[in-house]
Amino acid sequence: MLDIRAIRSQPEWFRRGMERRKADAALVDALLLADKRWREALAEVERLKSQRNKASEAIAAKKRQGLDASAEIAEMRRVSETIKQLDEQVREREAEVQRLLLEVPNIPHDSVPDGDSEADNVPVRHVGDKPVFPFEPKPHWELAEALDIVDFERAVKITGSRFVLYKGLGARLERALANFMLDFHVSNHGYTEMFPAFIANEESLVGTGNLPKFGEDMFKLEGLPYYLIPTAEVPLTNYYRDEILSARQLPVKLAGYSACFRSEAGSAGKDTRGLIRLHQFQKVELVKLVAPETSYDELERLVQDCARILDALELPYRVIEICTGDLGFKETKKYDLEVWMPAQGVYREISSCANFEDFQARRAGLRFRREEGARPEYVHTLNGSGLAIGRTVAAILENGQQADGSVRIPKALVPYMGTDVIRREVK
RNA sequence: GGAGUGAUGGCCGAGUAGGUCGAAGGCGCUCGCCUGCUAAGCGAGUAUACGCCGUUAAGGCGUAUCGACGGUUCGAAUCCGUCUCACUCCGCCA
C-alpha cells in the first residue's frame, strides 16, 4: 500500500512510477479524487463533533447546578442526527480510498531497468559451469520415474493433477534439502528458524498483498476466512503485524519452511510435466524486516544468501534483474535466481528475491522506533526463496544425471542423504 | 463440542446508580537533580491514528480509540445486543 499523503504531495512522481511499471496512471487520479471527497466529509463531521462535545460539557455543567438544559438537549439531538448520517458517509468514502489503495501497485525503484516484459529482464551474472553430457540428458520426470523416487500417476489418483508424491530416496531428498537449507541459513546467515501454520487468515493475506487482488491464485477453505498459504512469506511477514519493534531488534531475519499452495489459475497447459508447476510444493523462505535506509543493501545480501545454496549444491545458475514491466504488484525491485535445466536447455526460476519497501509494512502495521520515545516508522520488508525445493530436486536430478540413469548427489547433501548417489533399487 | 470467567495505556491495576476519564495509582522506561561506586531518594516526562493550520519545520487546534461491531442517550470505559479472543473445568483427540 502506498502512502496517500505522499501521493497528495507529489502526484506526478506516482503517475510516472505507474507508467514505468506499465500500470494505469489514472489510478493515481482516482485515488486523489476519493481522498479529497473523504477529507471533505471528515472535516465537516469533526467540526460537528467538536460542537457536540462542547455542548455536552455545558449541559453537564448546567445540570450540576440544577438548571434546565432541555433547549440545548433538543438542539444537540438534531446535531447528533446529522453526525450519524455524516459518519456513515465518511465511513463509505474512507472505505473507497482504502479499497483503491489496496489495489494500487508499488512504484519501481529508480535503479530498476525499464522494460515492457520478461524479455527485457537483465542478466546480472552467471555462476557455475553447465554440465557437459556424453549422452542426451533426460528430463527430471523421466529420471525420477525410472528411479521410482517420484510418483506422478498415483498422486493424481490420490489427489488430482498437478500434485506429486515423493517416494524412497526422492522423499528423502525433499527432506534433506529442507534440512540442509534451513541449517545453512541459520548457521551461516543468521536467520531465525520458524515453522509456521500452513493456513493464514484474511488479515495476514491483506498484509502481504495477496488480498484483495489475488484471491484467485490461492486455495480458500470453504466457509472460512482462511486460505492455504501460497508461501511462508505470509506467516513470516505477518509475525510482527501491528507491532512496534525497537531499532535494536532490526534487522529481523526469519527462515521458514512450509508447504506452499497455489491454484495456478490461468496457467493451464504450462509446464504440465514434472516438478516445475504444482499446486503444492515445499520451500524455505527468507523474510527480512529492516530499517528503510538499509533495505537495498539487504536485498543484495538476500540474493547472496539464496545464491549460496545453489553454490553449495553445485548447480549452475544465473541472476537476473527484473525490469519495471515485469515487476510484481508489490515489489520495488526484484532479482530472480534461475537454475540451469540441461534437458530443456533453459534457466528456470528457482528463487525470487524482492524488496517491498514499506508497501507491506503499511498494510500489516509493521513499525519500529529508532529510539525510545521516537515516532514509529514503517520498516521495509523483503523476502526471497531460499530455495523452492521441488525445483531444486528437479535441478539436482537433471544436472547430476549419469549415463546409467543414476543421479549424483552434491557433496553438501550427502550427510543429509546418507548416500552420494541415487540409483534404481533392485528388488 | 458442553459449562463458566474475563478482555482498560509497555506491564500490573483502579474506575459500573452514564457527564469535567485518554482514563487514578503502581511498575517499567526517558531526561534532569542528588548521592565519592551500586542501590535508594527527588523533580519532570512517558499511547496511537487521522484531519486542519504551519515552509513536506518547531509547534498549535480538532476528532477518534478502555477486545471488535452495532444499539440506547444531548452525552458511554461505564447501560443493552451480537461477535472475537483468552483462561478454567468437562468431553474428545495426535
Side-chain angles (χ1 to χ4, degrees):
Chain A
M1 183 161 70
L2 300 175
D3 180 0
I4 185 65
R5 278 177 296 196
I7 297 175
R8 265 178 225 154
S9 62
Q10 34 192 330
E12 214 30 65
W13 188 85
F14 284 92
R15 285 193 196 99
R16 203 171 57 240
M18 290 301 152
E19 280 160 12
R20 282 189 74 208
R21 61 134 58 237
K22 312 302 165 199
D24 188 357
L27 283 172
V28 172
D29 298 288
L31 207 42
L32 286 171
L33 178 63
D35 176 56
K36 182 159 172 276
R37 282 165 49 80
W38 167 61
R39 283 185 297 154
E40 280 167 0
L42 183 65
E44 176 63 9
V45 77
E46 288 195 346
R47 191 183 63 75
L48 289 176
K49 283 182 178 176
S50 175
Q51 184 189 338
R52 181 179 68 185
N53 287 344
K54 287 199 181 75
S56 283
E57 251 178 74
I59 290 168
K62 271 201 161 184
K63 287 207 158 183
R64 249 180 281 118
Q65 295 167 39
L67 300 173
D68 175 63
S70 48
E72 288 86 342
I73 289 176
E75 163 79 16
M76 282 307 109
R77 202 187 308 253
R78 282 195 299 277
V79 172
S80 277
E81 193 46 45
T82 309
I83 287 175
K84 202 173 194 175
Q85 289 165 11
L86 272 175
D87 257 340
E88 182 54 33
Q89 192 175 57
V90 170
R91 254 197 303 277
E92 283 167 10
R93 293 182 178 191
E94 184 175 18
E96 175 64 6
V97 173
Q98 203 62 17
R99 188 186 69 74
L100 289 169
L101 226 34
L102 286 174
E103 303 207 347
V104 174
N106 209 348
I107 303 290
H109 188 251
D110 282 342
S111 66
V112 175
D114 280 307
D116 294 329
S117 73
E118 208 179 325
D120 300 313
N121 292 339
V122 179
V124 176
R125 60 182 174 275
H126 292 72
V127 182
D129 298 320
K130 295 176 187 172
V132 180
F133 299 101
F135 54 92
E136 185 69 22
K138 292 186 177 129
H140 66 272
W141 56 87
E142 283 181 22
L143 292 162
E145 290 198 304
L147 290 165
D148 196 27
I149 59 173
V150 171
D151 196 324
F152 293 102
E153 269 183 43
R154 289 193 181 85
V156 171
K157 173 177 70 180
I158 297 165
T159 308
S161 65
R162 291 192 187 272
F163 285 89
V164 74
L165 185 146
Y166 291 94
K167 181 179 179 186
L169 284 176
R172 181 154 186 150
L173 181 55
E174 256 278 328
R175 178 160 60 90
L177 283 167
N179 287 336
F180 165 70
M181 291 177 191
L182 283 168
D183 288 347
F184 197 88
H185 290 305
V186 168
S187 29
N188 299 332
H189 302 144
Y191 289 80
T192 301
E193 182 172 347
M194 307 284 275
F195 187 72
F198 296 175
I199 293 175
N201 61 31
E202 289 176 338
E203 291 74 32
S204 295
L205 289 154
V206 168
T208 38
N210 301 88
L211 288 178
K213 248 189 135 173
F214 306 103
E216 290 304 300
D217 299 338
M218 297 184 286
F219 289 102
K220 186 174 193 305
L221 269 59
E222 191 175 350
L224 295 170
Y226 295 156
Y227 290 79
L228 298 181
I229 57 172
T231 158
E233 165 195 353
V234 175
L236 298 193
T237 303
N238 279 281
Y239 182 63
Y240 288 114
R241 174 151 52 86
D242 294 325
E243 295 189 33
I244 301 173
L245 304 171
S246 68
R248 55 176 301 274
Q249 287 177 270
L250 303 182
V252 170
K253 297 167 71 174
L254 308 175
Y257 166 82
S258 83
C260 304
F261 302 91
R262 306 206 174 161
S263 72
E264 296 295 339
S267 67
K270 273 186 215 163
D271 308 316
T272 49
R273 306 209 62 180
L275 299 171
I276 300 303
R277 192 178 298 275
L278 299 168
H279 287 311
Q280 177 189 329
F281 62 97
Q282 282 66 243
K283 177 160 62 70
V284 168
E285 181 76 1
L286 305 179
V287 166
K288 293 195 197 184
L289 311 185
V290 310
E293 64 278 11
T294 66
S295 68
Y296 285 94
D297 290 341
E298 292 284 3
L299 176 61
E300 299 299 321
R301 261 182 292 240
L302 179 61
V303 173
Q304 272 316 298
D305 291 345
C306 295
R308 292 271 174 271
I309 297 283
L310 288 165
D311 294 334
L313 294 177
E314 304 159 42
L315 294 169
Y317 64 95
R318 65 177 184 180
V319 180
I320 64 169
E321 183 168 2
I322 306 302
C323 73
T324 54
D326 196 31
L327 225 41
F329 173 71
K330 57 196 174 182
E331 302 148 359
T332 63
K333 186 179 178 75
K334 172 163 78 169
Y335 294 101
D336 278 356
L337 299 183
E338 297 184 333
V339 70
W340 176 246
M341 299 294 279
Q344 292 92 62
V346 296
Y347 285 98
R348 289 308 295 238
E349 176 184 335
I350 197 167
S351 171
S352 198
C353 301
N355 188 359
F356 311 108
E357 294 197 8
D358 63 8
F359 192 82
Q360 292 183 321
R362 207 172 277 286
R363 291 171 164 248
L366 295 166
R367 295 180 296 172
F368 80 108
R369 270 186 233 278
R370 286 188 188 276
E371 52 198 69
E372 195 77 30
R375 226 180 62 255
E377 294 173 54
Y378 288 108
V379 300
H380 281 189
T381 63
L382 304 91
N383 67 52
S385 350
L387 309 162
I389 292 174
R391 291 186 180 185
T392 307
V393 169
I396 287 173
L397 294 179
E398 290 199 12
N399 285 280
Q401 63 182 295
Q402 304 179 99
D404 63 356
S406 66
V407 171
R408 195 181 57 79
I409 295 299
K411 280 190 216 63
L413 272 188
V414 171
Y416 292 88
M417 284 297 288
T419 175
D420 59 4
V421 65
I422 299 178
R423 59 177 91 252
R424 176 86 201 201
E425 280 184 42
V426 189
K427 293 219 168 146

